Amino acid sequence: MNGFVVIILKMKCALKNDTCCGSVVLILFAALAVWLGALILCYTTLQNEKAYKFMGGIVKTYDVTVNDDGSRDICAVERPYNKVSNQNLLHWDADMYHQISKYLYDTSNIWVGNYAFFPLFPLLWRATHLSPIGVCVLNFALFGVGLMLLLRLFQQKYHSTGRHLMMTCMMLLSMPYMVIFLIPYSEALFFVCIAFGLYGLLKERYWLYFVGFTLGCMTRAAGSILLVAWVMADVLGALHTRRALKLLLRDIALHVAPIVTGVAAVMLFQHYRGAEHWFEFILAQQYWGKELSLPTWPLTDWSDESKCVTQPLLFILFVPALAWLATKLIDGIRVRLGKKDVPQDAAGSTSCYLWNLVRMLSVLFFVGNIVLALFTQKGCMYSQARLLTCTPFFFFLMIDIYHNPRVGFWRWVVAVFVVVAAILCSDMIFRLDTAGCVLTILLAVLVFFGRGLNRYVRHVLLCLMLVLNIFWTAYLFNCFLSCGWIFT
């Protein structure tokens, strides 16, 4: 009992004083515990037949029939939510990772298309001997560690109080695709690895950055986007600071070194395990329908649940992100030509320079994923809901924009696109199976305008988002257990 009282007192202290020891850990632990507890309660309630029938007009579940040719017929049925078991957690990519963890790319046991999946996550699964349920618990813990690192950075950057930290935590937990950190996918491992890398970079501990980004590039096929994004970010940074060519080349070499190392490690491991080609992970993309092609319109997706997050996200952020990068390039060229003074934040300390660099890298990573999908997936944006939002780069941008008082003009640019997104996606706004659309739009409003709203309005908006996200995440989790056409 005394220990419980001590924890409560420390939490109270943390909420009032950001200098309290361990405030980030305590606040994040409380936020994650409340969010996860509410999610478990919601999901358990909808497993009850009476509760499900009461909500039957809003929520739904799926039934899957496997045909003789291996194809699947998936249809909505009126049935309470599924029981959680090790077996029904092995769907889609989770099953692929599980097979790799067992057979390590042995094509006599697994499909050759599995070379598209990078090895670090299945190797971790193999090393821990965890069940699928155990991996889900591990994934949520890894996500928590990564989020703690990001919050610690911003606590020190903006001198956030405990109340602001709690507000930020709950805002991030209303992200529309949080479910991805609750299933046996690689996003949580990628999140914590890259978060460690960003923490090391901004703390000027290169070894930590190198290890984090190397492991991240062994987890997910993000190396090509990261490499291009780093080169472009370094060039933009050099333009704004009139950095010498020698220093620019050194920066590029240091920043891309862990990316090259991580991808090389993947190539060596897959080749050692029997890959016929050194770039087998690239050749395997053809089995997933990816090839160089021009995008088509309108954009499509494999499911409404994915589409309802991806499309409003594109409508709200893609064009403003491109415009922001264009202004950075123009300003950089003017600075380089001596037609404009070096910006005050760029001329400051190394820390300021690195923060600006990570901002540009995060925007470039977001834009890079969209551009790559547009020109390799023939206008079908499958997977983008999680590949865009479930990364430390996206979380970094959301926290930075929310806390940064100098967003200014860009708030009103985004406001226009929020209205556009609401109009174009109006058919998805009033359905629970596409509630991610409302969450994405409200998240943009909270991130860009939250600090300017009345405190009570802000809290009501956040509570609404959290409640909606609990139901939405429970729905997505059940869809995954049902093997619904949602996760890719």
Side-chain angles (χ1 to χ4, degrees):
M1 183 68 181
N2 290 336
F4 182 74
V5 172
V6 170
I7 291 175
I8 296 298
L9 290 174
K10 285 186 176 181
M11 278 297 302
K12 186 177 180 180
C13 175
L15 287 171
K16 290 184 176 180
N17 183 3
D18 64 300
T19 62
C20 181
C21 179
S23 62
V24 174
V25 176
L26 287 170
I27 291 169
L28 180 60
F29 175 80
L32 290 175
V34 170
W35 185 85
L36 186 60
L39 177 64
I40 292 172
L41 177 62
C42 176
Y43 193 86
T44 304
T45 301
L46 289 171
Q47 287 179 318
N48 179 274
E49 187 169 355
K50 291 183 179 179
Y52 180 83
K53 285 183 178 179
F54 179 76
M55 299 286 290
I58 303 175
V59 299
K60 64 182 179 182
T61 187
Y62 293 92
D63 195 16
V64 180
T65 303
V66 181
N67 301 316
D68 294 337
D69 61 357
S71 62
R72 304 182 184 195
D73 294 326
I74 302 176
C75 59
V77 295
E78 293 187 5
R79 185 180 64 206
Y81 277 9
N82 292 276
K83 298 291 184 182
V84 180
S85 69
N86 287 318
Q87 186 58 41
N88 61 14
L89 280 167
L90 295 178
H91 295 311
W92 308 115
D93 291 7
D95 185 44
M96 304 288 187
Y97 284 122
H98 186 243
Q99 293 298 316
I100 296 171
S101 72
K102 289 170 60 178
Y103 303 114
L104 299 178
Y105 298 106
D106 181 357
T107 52
S108 62
N109 291 290
I110 64 174
W111 180 42
V112 67
N114 283 5
Y115 278 111
F117 295 90
F118 279 26
L120 190 61
F121 176 65
L123 286 175
L124 177 65
W125 195 340
R126 182 185 180 94
T128 57
H129 300 286
L130 289 172
S131 66
I133 293 176
V135 171
C136 294
V137 175
L138 175 63
N139 273 350
F140 195 67
L142 291 175
F143 164 71
V145 173
L147 188 55
M148 178 194 68
L149 291 170
L150 293 180
L151 290 173
R152 181 61 178 161
L153 283 171
F154 282 95
Q155 181 199 32
Q156 296 171 345
K157 173 70 174 178
Y158 292 112
H159 307 290
S160 301
T161 64
R163 293 182 187 277
H164 285 152
L165 278 175
M166 179 59 81
M167 181 72 181
T168 305
C169 283
M170 303 312 288
M171 178 185 72
L172 296 175
L173 291 177
S174 66
M175 289 276 192
Y177 242 60
M178 281 290 298
V179 69
I180 211 69
F181 301 116
L182 298 169
I183 60 178
Y185 273 41
S186 64
E187 268 69 21
L189 182 58
F190 181 80
F191 193 99
V192 72
C193 289
I194 297 298
F196 265 109
L198 293 177
Y199 187 88
L201 181 69
L202 293 173
K203 289 294 184 179
E204 300 180 49
R205 300 174 187 170
Y206 181 76
W207 70 270
L208 187 54
Y209 161 74
F210 187 92
V211 172
F213 269 61
T214 297
L215 295 177
C217 290
M218 294 174 63
T219 305
R220 240 186 61 189
S224 58
I225 298 173
L226 274 175
L227 192 147
V228 175
W230 257 130
V231 172
M232 295 178 70
D234 279 326
V235 170
L236 287 172
L239 288 174
H240 280 85
T241 56
R242 297 176 184 161
R243 212 168 183 82
L245 179 60
K246 183 178 180 180
L247 288 177
L248 170 60
L249 295 177
R250 186 205 66 174
D251 288 348
I252 291 175
L254 289 173
H255 291 150
V256 304
I259 300 170
V260 174
T261 303
V263 174
V266 172
M267 293 167 58
L268 288 170
F269 183 79
Q270 290 189 342
H271 192 72
Y272 171 73
R273 294 304 305 172
E276 295 183 6
H277 307 280
W278 284 104
F279 292 94
E280 195 72 54
F281 63 92
I282 296 177
L283 298 176
Q285 296 297 330
Q286 63 183 305
Y287 298 105
W288 299 94
K290 292 187 178 183
E291 59 183 35
L292 287 176
S293 57
L294 292 174
T296 59
W297 185 265
L299 299 176
T300 59
D301 212 309
W302 285 355
S303 71
D304 286 343
E305 288 82 357
S306 177
K307 175 183 176 181
C308 73
V309 174
T310 302
Q311 293 209 356
L313 197 65
L314 291 176
F315 295 144
I316 293 171
L317 294 180
F318 185 53
V319 173
L322 287 176
W324 184 81
L325 290 171
T327 59
K328 285 291 181 182
L329 177 59
I330 293 170
D331 286 346
I333 293 173
R334 293 182 65 199
V335 170
R336 192 71 179 183
L337 294 176
K339 296 182 178 181
K340 183 178 180 180
D341 293 334
V342 175
Q344 187 176 356
D345 55 351
S349 63
T350 303
S351 176
C352 290
Y353 176 75
L354 290 173
W355 273 89
N356 287 328
L357 209 60
V358 173
R359 285 190 191 105
M360 288 186 286
L361 175 70
S362 299
V363 174
L364 285 163
F365 186 80
F366 176 83
V367 170
N369 271 285
I370 294 173
V371 171
L372 184 64
L374 286 174
F375 289 94
T376 59
Q377 297 180 184
K378 302 174 184 176
C380 185
M381 302 303 288
Y382 62 88
S383 296
Q384 294 308 301
R386 61 184 172 98
L387 296 182
L388 292 174
T389 61
C390 301
T391 71
F393 301 109
F394 190 77
F395 276 65
F396 180 95
L397 287 175
M398 295 301 99
I399 303 171
D400 190 50
I401 294 169
Y402 179 74
H403 286 277
N404 194 338
R406 290 197 281 180
V407 175
F409 164 77
W410 294 104
R411 283 192 173 95
W412 304 107
V413 174
V414 168
V416 172
F417 285 93
V418 166
V419 174
V420 170
I423 294 172
L424 294 179
C425 301
S426 58
D427 62 319
M428 297 187 286
I429 288 180
F430 299 105
R431 294 160 43 195
L432 181 62
D433 62 334
T434 54
C437 179
V438 177
L439 284 169
T440 304
I441 292 172
L442 292 181
L443 179 66
V445 172
L446 188 61
V447 167
F448 282 89
F449 297 95
R451 296 297 291 268
L453 295 175
N454 176 276
R455 185 178 68 177
Y456 297 105
V457 174
R458 184 168 65 241
H459 289 171
V460 169
L461 177 61
L462 181 60
C463 289
L464 174 65
M465 292 172 62
L466 284 169
V467 171
L468 181 60
N469 195 35
I470 292 297
F471 279 96
W472 165 247
T473 304
Y475 166 75
L476 289 183
F477 188 69
N478 181 65
C479 287
F480 178 73
L481 297 182
S482 306
C483 196
W485 287 105
I486 295 173
F487 301 92
T488 57

